[in-house]
């Protein structure tokens, strides 16, 4: 396949380097992937830049949860876009909805101005919007480069019908990037149906922490997630996905 995109979402230096070594074409840089990803710190961005020049698109999401934001939250989002632009990130990833499930075009326009010169992805706020066809056309009008979507389902293999239609309707005006549950095998299943050339995956594995002493019964966060498990991108998973894309 010519012109494919293989983006890996990462929240650590170790995962970023594994993705780059595995053949990812770019990173979506986040914090807290365990809750779906939030805005990464500038220090994480700068540390990764010491080791690799792979394209970095920074996720701009101030908190866990939905995509309808207060005025202070929007101010934080806008400033984060400006900051990553100044730092030299190649792209940013964001999305804002109104309470009725439509794109907040006024705020999105402000963010597009702040992101001038950068690639912009509309993230999976798209997957919980009320009308995906209208949202896609609005994204095109805004000048957004990419829509990250699972086809408005929990995993992309369940959303292939909508993904196919979005690719067809886009007519190359905007990239439809498939996300949620992507692996080498899933790309083999999804591509023949959708013809999508852009994919987004974590390739994550769960590692055991090197901590030997472990205090039982004390949780620092969500009680059903072990404090001693570490999510990392698996280099081989990225490499396998890239090989499939090159073969298709």
């Amino acid at each position: 396949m010519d012109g494919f995109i293989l983006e890996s979402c990462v929240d650590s230096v170790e995962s970023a380097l594994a993705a780059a070594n595995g053949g990812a074409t770019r990173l979506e840089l986040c914090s807290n992937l365990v809750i779906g990803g939030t805005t990464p710190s500038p220090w994480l961005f700068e540390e990764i830049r010491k080791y690799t020049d792979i394209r970095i698109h920074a996720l701009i999401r101030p908190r866990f949860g939905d995509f309808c934001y207060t005025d202070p939250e929007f101010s934080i989002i806008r400033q984060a876009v400006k900051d990553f632009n100044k730092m030299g990130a190649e792209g940013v990833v964001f999305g804002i909805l109104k309470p009725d499930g439509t794109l907040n075009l006024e705020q999105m326009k402000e963010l597009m101005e702040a992101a001038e010169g950068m690639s912009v992805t509309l993230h999976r706020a798209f997957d919980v919007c009320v009308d995906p066809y209208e949202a896609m056309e609005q994204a095109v009008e805004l000048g957004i480069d990419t829509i990250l979507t699972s086809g408005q389902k929990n995993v992309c293999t369940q959303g292939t019908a909508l993904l196919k239609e979005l690719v067809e309707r886009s007519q190359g005006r905007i990239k439809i990037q498939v996300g949620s549950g992507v692996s080498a095998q899933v790309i083999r299943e999804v591509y023949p149906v959708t013809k999508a050339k852009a994919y987004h995956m974590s390739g994550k594995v769960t590692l055991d922490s090197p901590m030997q002493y472990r205090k039982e019964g004390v949780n620092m966060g969500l009680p059903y997630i072990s404090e001693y498990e570490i999510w990392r991108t698996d280099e081989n998973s990225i490499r396998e996905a890239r090989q499939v894309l090159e073969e298709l």
Side-chain angles (χ1 to χ4, degrees), residues 70-98:
T70 65
D71 289 342
E73 286 174 331
F74 174 68
S75 180
I76 291 168
I77 292 169
R78 183 176 54 205
Q79 189 59 53
V81 172
K82 291 179 180 179
D83 288 347
F84 277 103
N85 200 345
K86 290 177 182 176
M87 284 187 286
E90 286 80 6
V92 280
V93 183
F94 55 69
I96 301 181
L97 299 179
K98 291 183 177 180

Side-chain angles (χ1 to χ4, degrees), residues 166-186:
L166 291 170
V167 171
E168 291 173 350
R169 289 193 183 204
S170 70
Q171 296 181 328
R173 296 173 297 154
I174 194 168
K175 294 184 183 69
I176 303 301
Q177 180 172 254
V178 178
S180 188
V182 171
S183 65
Q185 181 56 40
V186 165

Side-chain angles (χ1 to χ4, degrees), residues 3 5 136-137 139-141 143-147 163-177 194-198:
I5 294 171
M136 183 182 74
E137 293 303 326
V140 171
E141 291 176 11
I144 290 171
D145 301 283
T146 303
I147 295 173
L163 290 167
K164 178 178 184 292
E165 194 164 1
L166 291 170
V167 171
E168 291 173 350
R169 289 193 183 204
S170 70
Q171 296 181 328
R173 296 173 297 154
I174 194 168
K175 294 184 183 69
I176 303 301
Q177 180 172 254
T194 67
K195 302 304 181 186
K197 292 187 175 183

Side-chain angles (χ1 to χ4, degrees), residues 194-206:
T194 67
K195 302 304 181 186
K197 292 187 175 183
Y199 293 86
H200 169 99
M201 64 182 290
S202 67
K204 68 177 181 292
V205 292
T206 304

Side-chain angles (χ1 to χ4, degrees), residues 113-155:
E113 291 174 3
E116 184 178 3
M118 308 172 80
S119 176
V120 175
T121 297
L122 170 58
H123 62 36
R124 292 188 64 210
F126 180 87
D127 281 331
V128 291
C129 75
V130 65
D131 186 337
Y133 307 115
E134 179 185 46
M136 183 182 74
E137 293 303 326
Q138 291 172 334
V140 171
E141 291 176 11
L142 285 166
I144 290 171
D145 301 283
T146 303
I147 295 173
L148 171 61
T149 175
S150 61
Q152 294 205 321
K153 299 293 184 180
N154 278 332
V155 292

